[in-house]
Amino acid sequence: MFKIEMMLLIGYGLTASLALLSLFMPRKILENMQLALGIVLCIFHTGVVLRNFLSPFGNPESLLLFSWFLIGSYFWLRRKISTPLLSIFIFSGNFLLVLTSFSAPLSVPNGPATHSLLFPIHLLGAIFGGGLFAVGALLASLFLLQVRQLKARRSFWLFKRLPALETLENFLDHTLRLGFGLMTLGLLTGAFWAHEYFAAHWTWDANQVWALATWGLYGCAIYLRSSRLFSGKGWAYFIVTAGTAVLCSFILANVLMTRPHHFVGG
Amino acid sequence: MLYLWGLNHKTAKLDIRERFHVAKEEIPTHLRNLVQISNVEEGMILSTCNRVEIVSNVSDLKATDLIKEYFFKAKNVEAAEVETLAYSYQDGQAVSHLFRVASSLDSMVVGEAQILGQMKEAFRVAMDVGTTGKMLNRCLHRAFYVAKRVRTETEISRYPVSVGSVAVDLALRIFENLKEKVVLLVGAGEMMQDVARRLYQAGVTEMLVTNRSHGKAVELAQEFQGTTFFLEKLAQHLPRADIVMVCTGSEKPLIDLAMVEQAMEHRKHVPMFLIDLSVPRNVDVKITEHPNVFLYDLDHFETIVKENLDLRQRQMVDAEAIIAQEKHVFLEKMDEGRMDPVIQSLYRKAEDIAQVELAKTIKMFEHVTPEQKEALEKMTQAIARKMLHGPVEEIKKEARNSQDHSTLRSLLSRLFKI
């Protein structure tokens, strides 16, 4: 099982290194190599994810699914964001996620609950929603870098290819709304799934509580943002903090917890 | 032989360059006269504010002196005045220089975009007059291709170096595009006009103009289909503006922190970009405290322009590498091309011999069907071509490595009696 994952690890490490190199030595050939490697990694990673859905799905698989979502979002983002910083963040992030998957508790055979249609929808909603919040943190970081550069009123060569503030803000707004929508779907389907197989919509499970808190927090933030009570640097710092917390908690939960929910498995 | 002669801003001061300048309407006449000179086969004249260069294809070195003589006489300039200031290049050096000029590496502002358009125009005029041929066509087309490579593969043109282009570049770091943005111009002087023109060309469609003298504001607004208002109403109109440019002679700030804070409340904190080109400054520097407001003054622009010029210079290393590579490839092809007439004669002779022998052979048979005749014809042609393939490759190789093509041509002519 680990052979393909090891190849992914090496691939992501190599691509992140190329991205770092192209930050200091901008060359078309380096960009093309990154793109080509990224496509190859995406194809391999898709294969891994599809294989995982046919086998017991646990913590390592969750981490790999999350990182697969990140590589997918890389291709979506690079349509408008061409800075090497994007590649560095995504590929090094994926390197760490794949590496972490090696130390996550191994999967245990799942019961009949995982054969329900609600299960994959819940899983994808929750993981992709969280993934979009992490991507939001990345976009907000780029926003803060660009603001810093503009406020300093010099041209930092390192950040020259950052997109416009307005582009980043618009992308960020779309990302968070989409993430919130997916998270809502994940929560609702999760509740129905838990009721169907475990006789209760809600059991104050740690993951459930954390997901609900995240959902609520982002919901309030999006509402305040839409009325422009929340904007600029303050908004960006909030998204960076919240997104980083979502990412870290997701990784920690998958490394420390043997089951995603206490009522599943065992 | 490709020959280039001229002078530019690096070698000659403006007073000499302007005397040597060839006006647009005079170029066709000079081109026709140029190719009338003995041993000058092709010619092109590039005359801009920073350089005058004559590019020609000559079959004898003596023609180069005649070219210079012609222009000294035409421009009523003494040879002694200009000789030490002018430069001349032949063949490889001329190719290299043309590639560098087209790629704007020889320009006053490295990476500027104008020179390529000027070269293309000069080439077009020469083509229309009929003074270009195989050599100049190949060389100039290659120069344009090399210029495109340099622009796309390096960042030599990426960094803006004029106040107007820096303003647009900064605006595009804040706003995704400028089409739906509102620009407010406070002042109507010359610098304001230049920067406003740049923003207008970048896609701004709505301009508000105000000035102490309302008449000048109206004049400026008309140029950009803008609207005007009186200066006293500045605070009322400020919230509408995404980009504010200020350049007046006022001794006191016209825009202060309170005005900006009020405007930002109305704008719901959508970012605002202010450019203060005035001396003394007309925008209170305290407004930079506001997180969504970005203010740049003349000093900041100067710093950015200087940094960008340095960055462009750094790109020259990569650009020179591309030019060196392209020059090598072009010269190899040019050397091979010099053997084309001989190689074509060789193939023609071989085909003629094959035809003659085929005709003789067919006469020996009573009946040869058209299909058989066609097959025999193909066979003889194929034998001739295959026999010559090896020698032709060696000829091309020798042409690439040797400087003396005339001796090689002469030898081949004697060997094969062509």
Side-chain angles (χ1 to χ4, degrees), chain A residues 26-27 80 146-147 149-151 153-155 157 160-161 163-167 169-170 228 231-232, chain B residues 158-159 172-176 181 268-269 288 290-296 300 307-308 311 318:
Chain A
R27 295 279 187 283
K80 285 214 171 178
Q146 184 68 298
V147 166
Q149 190 184 197
L150 285 164
K151 280 290 189 185
R153 294 175 289 184
R154 291 192 59 188
S155 48
W157 64 270
K160 269 201 173 304
R161 284 154 60 190
L165 288 181
E166 199 178 20
T167 307
E169 273 192 312
N170 290 341
R228 289 213 76 99
S231 65
Chain B
R158 194 185 180 93
Y159 309 110
L172 288 171
R173 298 240 191 124
I174 299 167
F175 306 110
E176 194 167 6
K181 299 297 176 256
K268 299 202 172 170
H269 304 283
T288 53
H290 196 291
N292 294 339
V293 171
F294 303 97
L295 170 65
Y296 282 69
H300 300 127
E307 283 170 357
N308 287 346
L311 284 165
D318 291 341

Side-chain angles (χ1 to χ4, degrees), chain B residues 2-71:
Chain B
L2 187 67
Y3 177 72
L4 186 148
W5 178 70
L7 35 82
N8 65 17
H9 60 280
K10 291 180 189 168
T11 62
K13 289 200 173 144
L14 185 60
D15 57 341
I16 299 287
R17 293 202 317 271
E18 63 191 5
R19 285 167 65 194
F20 225 75
H21 177 75
V22 182
K24 204 172 160 182
E25 50 280 2
E26 291 175 8
I27 290 178
T29 310
H30 286 303
L31 282 171
R32 284 188 201 101
N33 293 341
L34 183 65
V35 295
Q36 295 293 324
I37 296 171
S38 170
N39 294 314
V40 175
E41 288 163 21
E42 303 172 49
M44 183 186 95
I45 297 171
L46 175 64
S47 182
T48 71
C49 43
N50 285 329
R51 70 184 64 245
V52 180
E53 291 179 350
I54 292 102
V55 188
S56 51
N57 177 15
V58 301
S59 52
D60 194 302
L61 261 177
K62 288 177 196 161
T64 61
D65 288 332
L66 295 172
I67 290 171
K68 289 181 209 174
E69 255 178 56
Y70 168 77
F71 276 98

Side-chain angles (χ1 to χ4, degrees), chain B residues 122-138:
Chain B
F123 178 59
R124 188 195 61 77
V125 168
M127 264 183 24
D128 287 348
V129 172
T131 59
T132 65
K134 207 171 169 184
M135 167 83 82
L136 284 193
N137 287 347
R138 276 188 183 170

Side-chain angles (χ1 to χ4, degrees), chain B residues 6 25 61 67 74 79 82 98 112 136-137 145 153 188 249 263 271 310-311 322 374 390 406 409 412:
Chain B
E25 50 280 2
L61 261 177
I67 290 171
V82 177
L98 277 170
E112 56 98 351
L136 284 193
N137 287 347
Y145 167 77
E153 293 179 31
D310 286 342
L311 284 165
I322 291 171
E374 197 186 325
S406 57
R409 273 196 293 269
L412 290 168

Side-chain angles (χ1 to χ4, degrees), chain B residues 325-339:
Chain B
Q325 184 203 20
E326 287 288 341
K327 174 190 155 185
H328 178 72
V329 167
F330 180 78
L331 288 177
E332 271 192 357
K333 285 218 160 78
M334 211 163 84
D335 288 336
E336 279 179 22
R338 288 199 172 112
M339 292 294 120

Side-chain angles (χ1 to χ4, degrees), chain B residues 192-203:
Chain B
M192 185 67 87
Q193 285 174 26
D194 286 342
V195 182
R197 202 167 288 124
R198 277 283 190 167
L199 286 168
Y200 186 73
Q201 284 165 359

